Amino acid sequence: MIELDRLVREYDGRRVVDEVTLHVARGELVVLVGDSGSGKTTTLKMVNRLEAPTSGTVRIDGEDTSAIPGPILRRRIGYVFQQVGLFPHLTIAENVAVPLELQGWERTRINERVRAVMELMELDPSVADRSPAALSGGQRQRVGVARALAAEPKIMLLDEPFGALDPLTRDRIQETFLKIKRSLGLTAMFVTHDMGEALLLADRIAVMRRGKLVQVGTPRELVQSPADVDVERLLDTPRRHARHFEGLLDA
């Protein structure tokens, strides 16, 4: 579904993404993890050409994305990021409708789809006519996901979408997103710096360091056989939390 073939991105002669090759199967959720500056977000943005590759190829369903005009490509791919980016002068319903209007959907169909995706994201219909400023951070993030889902994309890209939320809200939205991903058969790439979140959400995890992929595997494969001490270190925090929780149960 998504193929990254020897993808490179350079800034002023410095490689921030270095020969990344990765395949994301249809219906799979691959989570990119790594320290700040590892190249996660730049890799993600090259999928929908918010960043242009210096070299290498991105293919979607076998089609080289460099042959697709950027705006058209991005309309096919849902994109969610931490800052949400809702338009403050529009209502919630109007924000969700933006990609549908860009694609020229008829008004009745737009209204039906907006209601459907808001329900999918467990947003109360009463918020439809409110401004983004009137909503909580968790509600705004749900609106951001609803907007990304509105045009019925088969692919979603998510860049640390839940990182700014409190733990309880984050947990609820993660569960909602997983249910939607499974029910719709979405293919997704998800960036996070939180290995615990990656272990919870991912079908496979791709660990990046200094622009390179250092390990790709299922959560079980990473936990049981980390590729090196740096991957082991990324797993330290979720392991420590798990041991602490188990200790509380045994106390």
Side-chain angles (χ1 to χ4, degrees):
M1 186 72 174
I2 305 173
E3 298 173 77
L4 313 183
D5 184 8
R6 294 173 292 176
L7 213 56
V8 172
R9 182 63 166 117
E10 294 183 350
Y11 295 107
D12 299 323
R14 180 176 65 89
R15 285 195 174 188
V16 296
V17 176
D18 191 358
E19 297 281 344
V20 166
T21 294
L22 180 67
H23 177 258
V24 183
R26 190 178 303 277
E28 185 179 32
L29 172 56
V30 171
V31 177
L32 302 179
V33 298
D35 294 335
S36 296
S38 61
K40 308 182 299 295
T41 292
T42 302
T43 298
L44 192 77
K45 287 182 175 180
M46 285 192 284
V47 175
N48 65 356
R49 281 227 316 282
L50 285 174
E51 294 272 1
T54 303
S55 64
T57 306
V58 178
R59 300 184 188 89
I60 293 178
D61 275 343
E63 184 177 8
D64 186 340
T65 59
S66 66
I68 307 170
I72 293 175
L73 175 67
R74 286 186 280 277
R75 288 173 195 169
R76 299 180 185 176
I77 300 172
Y79 184 62
V80 185
F81 49 99
Q82 183 171 314
Q83 292 78 19
V84 189
L86 300 181
F87 297 107
H89 61 290
L90 300 180
T91 67
I92 296 309
E94 289 168 343
N95 266 282
V96 175
V98 165
L100 307 179
E101 291 170 346
L102 288 173
Q103 294 195 24
W105 286 33
E106 186 267 330
R107 176 49 57 183
T108 301
R109 188 183 175 202
I110 289 176
N111 293 341
E112 290 174 354
R113 182 59 180 165
V114 169
R115 282 193 296 270
V117 291
M118 288 184 63
E119 181 179 348
L120 201 61
M121 285 306 301
E122 300 175 3
L123 285 160
D124 193 285
S126 65
V127 307
D129 294 325
R130 297 182 189 174
S131 70
L135 271 58
S136 69
Q139 288 173 315
R140 287 194 296 271
Q141 200 63 58
R142 287 179 185 272
V143 174
V145 178
R147 183 176 60 186
L149 288 168
E152 303 174 335
K154 299 301 182 186
I155 295 172
M156 285 192 71
L157 308 178
L158 302 101
D159 188 5
E160 303 212 36
F162 314 136
L165 302 177
D166 68 85
L168 288 177
T169 302
R170 185 176 186 176
D171 183 62
R172 287 196 298 270
I173 295 183
Q174 286 170 343
E175 288 194 5
T176 301
F177 175 70
L178 277 180
K179 285 191 290 187
I180 290 169
K181 182 258 177 191
R182 291 167 185 150
S183 66
L184 300 181
L186 289 172
T187 303
M189 293 179 67
F190 188 114
V191 164
T192 182
H193 66 277
D194 183 340
M195 181 58 90
E197 183 170 59
L199 293 169
L200 176 68
L201 297 178
D203 295 308
R204 286 188 301 146
I205 298 171
V207 182
M208 296 190 69
R209 183 168 65 244
R210 294 191 291 276
K212 290 183 174 290
L213 281 178
V214 296
Q215 186 170 7
V216 181
T218 66
R220 182 181 296 274
E221 288 168 344
L222 262 69
V223 169
Q224 293 184 345
S225 303
D228 58 26
V229 294
D230 288 327
V231 177
E232 180 84 31
R233 179 179 54 80
L234 287 172
L235 293 162
D236 280 347
T237 298
R239 281 177 170 157
R240 186 172 63 253
H241 289 172
R243 286 195 299 268
H244 180 70
F245 184 73
E246 289 170 0
L248 293 173
L249 293 175
D250 294 338

